[in-house]
Amino acid sequence: MRKLTVQLPKNPYEILIDKGILPKAGKLIGRVYEGKRAAVITDENVWNLYGQRLQESLDAAGMEYRTIVLPAGEATKQLGVFEYICETMAESGFLRSDLIIAFGGGVIGDVAGFAAATYMRGLPYVQIPTTLLAQVDSAVGGKTAINLKHGKNLLGAFWQPRLVITDPELLLTLPEREFAGGMAEVIKYAAIASPALFKRLEKYGGKSGAASHMEAIIHTCCSIKANIVAQDELDTGARMLLNFGHTFGHALEKSGNYEKYIHGEGVSLGMVMAAKLGEAMGFHDAEIAVRLINLLQSYALPV
Ligand code: NAD
Ligand code: MG
């Protein structure tokens, strides 16, 4: 098992990364949460594929839980769904001393995290990310949010999880496009903070070459993010580095009405645009964009 700590002064927490760790989730949660009641928030795809494994693990740990299964997709990050989660928890008598378990990709992590930040003024939560994007990015750092009609992530809070449990084995069922989208964030980490990771990704040459190294790749990305978040939890300085490619990327996502491009595709194109802009402004030579484009292409990303 690979272990990392997000070193926040008030609420440090661990990220545990291990193939096949999901069946141990109940026991691991018991190490950071003394209660027995939880709301498991998930989406239908994840629940169909892996719900039983999580259930068995929580049962074995003697936990009582109510499962809230939401539709898959970005539309789930909306007020109506958030309200449904909170009303369901209220109906079941959930208290501030209970736990939320966010079991899914970034959509579930964001909406469940926001419910955790706000229900009864905040209760503890654990992230069990199931997409590559969530494992390397969204499950770490405590940004939670839902979308408004006027734009993405406009309603949210910084609220750190108690624990992140990451099982790279779950990535085997991820659709190709989603895997590639997660790789865009991986390549982003390499570009902003790790020449060594960049070279490793070049050497692997694409998904099939990288497949057996995912645990190490996730670990490297999470350690970069954990370091940056520890310096700048509230995103006013160093954390902005994590937005490389995201200004153009978000514009592209929006122009495609969040349907044409998934987030990672926007980030991929956005990083190329940023690199080209940097080149045009004389910040760096042409080799930067060339290497970036080649690497993105080898992981099936648009450039
Ligand atoms: P997602 O949660 O929509 O998941 C993508 C698809 O994969 C869904 O259909 C889901 O059901 C399916 N899926 C999930 N796990 C699976 C598995 N193991 N096998 C098969 N299918 C699986 O999308 P995402 O890319 O994980 O997350 C995108 C969201 O994350 C966006 O809303 C974005 O704003 C947010 N985000 C948040 C942060 C943050 O710091 N909070 C950072 C980056 C992105
Ligand atoms: Mg991103």
Side-chain angles (χ1 to χ4, degrees):
M1 184 186 336
R2 289 164 204 264
K3 208 192 279 190
L4 279 166
T5 305
V6 184
Q7 299 281 8
L8 292 166
K10 270 198 232 146
N11 35 24
Y13 57 95
E14 283 186 333
I15 306 166
L16 308 176
I17 308 162
D18 201 6
K19 265 188 210 150
I21 200 177
L22 181 59
K24 297 183 199 133
K27 205 169 137 202
L28 294 167
I29 289 168
R31 302 210 301 222
V32 296
Y33 169 68
E34 32 326 306
K36 284 286 169 212
R37 254 158 68 86
V40 176
I41 302 179
T42 186
D43 78 26
E44 22 186 54
N45 295 336
V46 173
W47 196 244
N48 286 338
L49 286 163
Y50 300 110
Q52 201 183 338
R53 266 187 237 179
L54 180 62
Q55 268 179 307
E56 283 169 5
S57 166
L58 297 177
D59 289 342
M63 291 200 68
E64 273 172 55
Y65 49 91
R66 165 137 193 190
T67 308
I68 302 176
V69 184
L70 304 171
E74 184 70 25
T76 280
K77 276 177 55 171
Q78 55 155 299
L79 269 173
V81 174
F82 168 72
E83 182 181 11
Y84 169 76
I85 292 170
C86 296
E87 290 290 2
T88 305
M89 289 178 62
E91 178 195 273
S92 307
F94 272 85
L95 300 173
R96 195 185 295 152
S97 50
D98 296 322
L99 180 78
I100 283 181
I101 299 173
F103 183 44
V107 163
I108 290 301
D110 277 11
V111 70
F114 186 51
T118 50
Y119 181 79
M120 297 191 84
R121 302 191 182 85
L123 49 73
Y125 77 119
V126 168
Q127 289 272 19
I128 308 181
T130 65
T131 62
L132 180 55
L133 181 126
Q135 295 189 349
V136 298
D137 191 356
S138 61
V140 175
K143 277 190 185 175
T144 73
I146 57 174
N147 306 327
L148 296 179
K149 286 196 191 86
H150 284 84
K152 244 176 92 87
N153 298 334
L154 291 185
L155 195 61
F158 288 94
W159 191 248
Q160 302 292 341
R162 284 271 174 101
L163 177 68
V164 182
I165 301 172
T166 292
D167 189 343
E169 202 171 282
L170 308 188
L171 303 180
L172 292 175
T173 51
L174 208 57
E176 293 293 329
R177 192 176 175 195
E178 299 294 342
F179 185 89
M183 283 307 300
E185 297 285 3
V186 171
I187 292 169
K188 175 198 77 180
Y189 286 112
I192 62 173
S194 176
L197 176 62
F198 203 97
K199 285 194 197 118
R200 263 155 68 200
L201 296 171
E202 286 178 328
K203 193 179 88 192
Y204 300 149
K207 185 184 175 184
S208 58
S212 59
H213 303 280
M214 290 317 294
E215 201 176 304
I217 290 172
I218 293 164
H219 179 264
T220 304
C221 294
C222 287
S223 68
I224 294 168
K225 182 156 187 184
N227 264 327
I228 292 176
V229 168
Q231 287 171 51
D232 177 23
E233 182 179 359
L234 304 180
D235 199 5
T236 55
R239 194 164 177 170
M240 290 182 197
L241 247 188
L242 294 169
N243 297 336
F244 175 43
H246 281 61
T247 306
F248 288 121
H250 283 153
L252 289 167
E253 281 182 86
K254 189 165 188 202
S255 75
N257 210 14
Y258 300 99
E259 283 161 7
K260 187 167 175 195
Y261 303 109
I262 61 171
H263 180 67
E265 293 166 347
V267 171
S268 178
L269 291 160
M271 288 191 291
V272 174
M273 292 163 80
K276 287 283 181 192
L277 180 64
E279 193 180 311
M281 294 178 77
F283 293 154
H284 53 77
D285 59 33
E287 192 212 340
I288 297 278
V290 171
R291 273 182 78 191
L292 189 60
I293 289 170
N294 287 339
L295 188 61
L296 291 165
Q297 269 178 328
S298 65
Y299 287 89
L301 284 159
V303 294

